[in-house]
Amino acid sequence: MDYLPTSLGDTRLAARRGPFKWLQRALIILCIAGAILIGLLQIKAPKSADLNAPPEDFSAARAMKQLEIIAEEPHPVGSAAHDTVRDYLMSELKGLGLTPEIHKSQAVLNGAGMVNLENIVTRIPGNANTKPVMIAAHYDSVPAAPGAADDGAAIAAMLETVRALQTSGPLKNDLILLMTDGEELGLTGARAFMAEHPWAGEPGVVLNFEARGNRGPSFMFETSDRNGWLISEFIKAAPNPIGYSLIYNVYKLMPNDTDMTVFKEGGLAGLNFAFGMGANAYHDELDTPENLDQASLQHHGEYMLSLTRHFGDLNLKDVRQEDAVYFNIFGWKMVHYPQSWAIWILAFTVLLYVLTLWHGMSRRKISLKGTLGGAAAFLLLLGVVYGVAALAWSLVRSSVSREQLRVIGLDPIISVYWFAGFLAVTIGIIWLLIRWISRYNHAENVWSGTLLVWLLLSAATCLYLPGGSYLFVWPLIFSLIGLNLSMLRRINDSGWTSAIFAAPGFILFTPICYMVFVMMTLMMAGELMVFATIALSLVFPVFCTKEQRRKIKQAANKSFP
């Protein structure tokens, strides 16, 4: 049932709040905007190091000198440019004092006959080897692109990493460098290595590097199974770590593959890295050294060098441990905990929700009927948002040319404005519907009903996508605390309280939402806006605050005839 002032003191307190309403609204906006900004600060690449960087450090500027030669032109398998790149890499590795070899193989491609493959492999001996560390990347490109990001950046980073390693002496473990061929033809070089090369089963840890764009931070987006130990060591060693177990769990459900897929099938453990912003350059003529963000190359290289040094001095005979839930919180600060904890955290959250219902009912602030109505309204809103966004994108697709659609969907500058437009429309829909709903259901009922849906999402992810459970359960816990505190107050301030306690949710949701946008593009506008609406649902009480204040004023007028 709706809560209204029940005493003269309540109405006077409500009346005194009037002059501060604009300040309160401003603070709500600042709170939400600040949380979103903190979330966005998670997805940044480190500053690029110049040519004068210390010799023991990784320098993107030094690596760029290599990349300008590697990605001078497209070099697909079988082309003269491919042979030129192969010979250059062999020469550079020999110049670094190594003894590289060409591992030759053949593969049969559907409709393309037989192709010759030439992996480049070399080994740097350690002084107390347990199991080798292997760095892997592919050096072939697609026919249409020079391949500066995909995957020349990783190859250039390998050369710079080896140069930096030579300044600090040998590692304990051996280091294997694998530059695969034919990745763009279906991971053929990696398959040949795992099937034929005598070193294939030796690595204790594999570090694979890829790209699906030409800018942005490098994410650790995939691991091998039973990754708890790997995640813990990754967080210790990487100077600027970024990784989300949700992304890994979702990636496992997708048909996308990299060389890491082959290594995992062969029983190897490891981590997979890629940067993915600037998707308009992926497999496109834009994928040139000039268009590559050097900060992305720097992030790749810092991972490669720091993790090689770290794992190179550890015992790698047993690297398997229970899977972990992991995610960034503030900038490059990451947290992790065993995946088995997820079910206990969920159990605590269920108990907290039940206690919140009891608390609200005992104070006559919320009702079971109102809560169920709030949940139904939230689900209805998700359906409306999806329908409007999907329809709008369908109209855009049918009204522009294919090239214009590519710019709208993939250009990293233009697409942001379209995303902002879709988001503005979504916020408008939320405002209208929640304002309308608040005429019939109290804000705290809407809030508790919304959190009931969040509880269902938390349970679903905990059971079927455990690496993503953190995204729902932690914001839910904080919002439940906020709801309880709001119900302790005599005057309804659920809008302000919900904004404060929604901050952790926005911090966690913002980078995931942005990554989905830049990697999946507006082609998934409906799904993307539903995802944004779920995050915004944490502040639904903000949208019905004005209506509740109107009711308070009406009650105040009745008390002062």
Side-chain angles (χ1 to χ4, degrees):
M1 63 183 297
D2 283 348
Y3 168 72
L4 293 175
T6 57
S7 69
L8 184 62
D10 284 356
T11 54
R12 286 174 176 171
L13 181 59
R16 286 199 300 268
R17 294 179 64 194
F20 300 103
K21 65 180 181 180
W22 291 109
L23 175 61
Q24 187 183 64
R25 289 174 181 172
L27 290 175
I28 287 173
I29 292 172
L30 287 175
C31 182
I32 295 172
I36 291 173
L37 177 61
I38 291 173
L40 287 174
L41 289 176
Q42 297 177 23
I43 46 178
K44 63 177 181 179
K47 183 180 179 181
S48 173
D50 60 25
L51 293 173
N52 297 319
E56 66 274 12
D57 291 350
F58 184 93
S59 165
R62 288 192 287 254
M64 279 299 298
K65 298 295 184 181
Q66 306 278 8
L67 183 59
E68 289 168 358
I69 299 172
I70 295 169
E72 184 177 0
E73 59 181 319
H75 45 281
V77 174
S79 67
H82 173 277
D83 293 345
T84 300
V85 172
R86 177 205 61 206
D87 293 343
Y88 175 76
L89 294 176
M90 290 290 290
S91 174
E92 288 299 300
L93 290 170
K94 290 176 181 176
L96 290 167
L98 308 183
T99 55
E101 64 177 43
I102 295 178
H103 170 237
K104 295 185 177 182
S105 185
Q106 292 183 320
V108 178
L109 303 181
N110 293 332
M114 186 80 69
V115 295
N116 295 317
L117 302 171
E118 296 178 306
N119 294 329
I120 300 174
V121 189
T122 190
R123 186 170 191 142
I124 304 175
N127 55 27
N129 184 51
T130 59
K131 280 192 171 184
V133 178
M134 185 168 80
I135 305 174
H138 68 90
Y139 74 94
D140 63 311
S141 76
V142 294
D150 182 22
D151 198 20
I155 296 296
M158 270 198 206
L159 298 176
E160 170 66 5
T161 293
V162 172
R163 184 210 58 76
L165 287 172
Q166 290 178 333
T167 66
S168 54
L171 304 170
K172 289 183 179 179
N173 295 317
D174 292 358
L175 174 62
I176 296 174
L177 302 178
L178 173 61
M179 301 177 177
T180 62
D181 197 9
E183 192 273 349
E184 303 291 3
L185 299 179
L187 320 179
T188 51
R191 296 190 191 282
F193 174 81
M194 292 303 295
E196 303 169 7
H197 202 279
W199 298 346
E202 292 188 30
V205 171
V206 178
L207 307 174
N208 189 69
F209 291 83
E210 266 287 0
R212 196 180 178 273
N214 66 349
R215 62 189 61 253
S218 182
F219 295 94
M220 194 283 292
F221 71 97
E222 182 187 12
T223 75
S224 51
D225 293 332
R226 299 177 60 196
N227 60 29
W229 183 84
L230 287 172
I231 295 301
S232 177
E233 298 304 320
F234 165 65
I235 294 173
K236 290 178 187 176
N240 305 303
I242 304 178
Y244 303 90
S245 51
L246 170 65
I247 298 298
Y248 166 51
N249 274 198
V250 172
Y251 180 79
K252 289 196 296 184
L253 302 176
M254 299 174 68
N256 300 349
D257 293 313
T258 67
D259 282 346
M260 190 67 188
T261 305
V262 179
F263 302 143
K264 288 169 61 176
E265 289 172 352
L268 301 183
L271 306 169
N272 205 1
F273 303 86
F275 48 88
M277 298 180 184
N280 58 328
Y282 179 59
H283 286 181
D284 189 89
E285 60 184 10
L286 293 174
D287 190 9
T288 64
E290 294 77 17
N291 292 327
L292 178 71
D293 183 359
Q294 287 195 31
S296 302
L297 175 56
Q298 182 71 32
H299 209 180
H300 251 9
E302 286 187 1
Y303 281 145
M304 194 180 292
L305 180 59
S306 62
L307 294 176
T308 298
R309 281 177 170 151
H310 185 72
F311 288 119
D313 285 333
L314 297 180
N315 187 332
L316 302 181
K317 289 184 177 180
D318 184 10
V319 301
R320 306 281 183 174
Q321 198 177 71
E322 178 189 348
D323 280 334
V325 176
Y326 54 92
F327 51 95
N328 285 69
I329 45 172
F330 300 108
W332 291 309
K333 301 298 182 183
M334 290 183 68
V335 299
H336 68 104
Y337 51 85
Q339 192 168 280
S340 59
W341 289 15
I343 193 68
W344 296 107
I345 296 172
L346 175 65
F348 167 78
T349 308
V350 171
L351 177 60
L352 180 59
Y353 187 83
V354 171
L355 291 174
T356 302
L357 279 182
W358 172 82
H359 180 209
M361 290 178 181
S362 67
R363 288 181 170 272
R364 304 181 68 187
K365 296 292 186 74
I366 61 177
S367 67
L368 183 59
K369 180 180 178 180
T371 294
L372 294 176
F378 180 25
L379 295 175
L380 172 64
L381 178 59
L382 291 178
V384 171
V385 166
Y386 177 83
V388 171
L391 177 61
W393 181 247
S394 177
L395 292 175
V396 170
R397 294 182 64 179
S398 62
S399 59
V400 301
S401 67
R402 189 167 184 174
E403 184 57 36
Q404 288 174 321
L405 185 65
R406 177 178 172 81
V407 172
I408 292 171
L410 297 179
D411 187 279
I413 298 177
I414 302 299
S415 61
V416 167
Y417 291 103
W418 281 85
F419 173 77
F422 272 88
L423 188 58
V425 171
T426 297
I427 293 174
I429 293 171
I430 293 172
W431 185 82
L432 289 172
L433 288 183
I434 296 300
R435 287 270 295 166
W436 174 71
I437 290 166
S438 69
R439 296 175 60 187
Y440 306 98
N441 203 2
H442 189 267
E444 284 166 335
N445 275 328
V446 172
W447 195 357
S448 64
T450 298
L451 297 185
L452 176 59
V453 177
W454 273 77
L455 184 63
L456 296 176
L457 291 171
S458 298
T461 51
C462 180
L463 295 174
Y464 301 107
L465 205 70
S469 60
Y470 77 89
L471 189 64
F472 298 100
V473 72
W474 290 112
L476 174 56
I477 289 173
F478 280 95
S479 288
L480 285 171
I481 295 172
L483 177 54
N484 279 280
L485 291 177
S486 176
M487 292 188 297
L488 288 173
R489 293 177 61 83
R490 298 168 65 188
I491 290 298
N492 185 340
D493 64 350
S494 56
W496 169 241
T497 308
S498 70
I500 294 175
F501 285 88
F506 283 112
I507 290 171
L508 293 180
F509 257 76
T510 297
I512 301 296
C513 187
Y514 188 72
M515 283 189 290
V516 171
F517 161 61
V518 298
M519 295 183 181
M520 306 307 293
T521 74
L522 287 173
M523 300 296 179
M524 296 183 65
E527 293 85 350
L528 189 59
M529 290 303 108
V530 165
F531 194 75
T533 301
I534 292 173
L536 289 167
S537 70
L538 294 172
V539 291
F540 275 178
V542 170
F543 296 93
C544 38
T545 297
K546 186 176 181 180
E547 179 65 22
Q548 298 304 319
R549 284 179 177 164
R550 185 182 65 80
K551 292 180 180 180
I552 290 173
K553 287 180 180 179
Q554 289 175 347
N557 291 335
K558 291 179 181 179
S559 300
F560 299 102

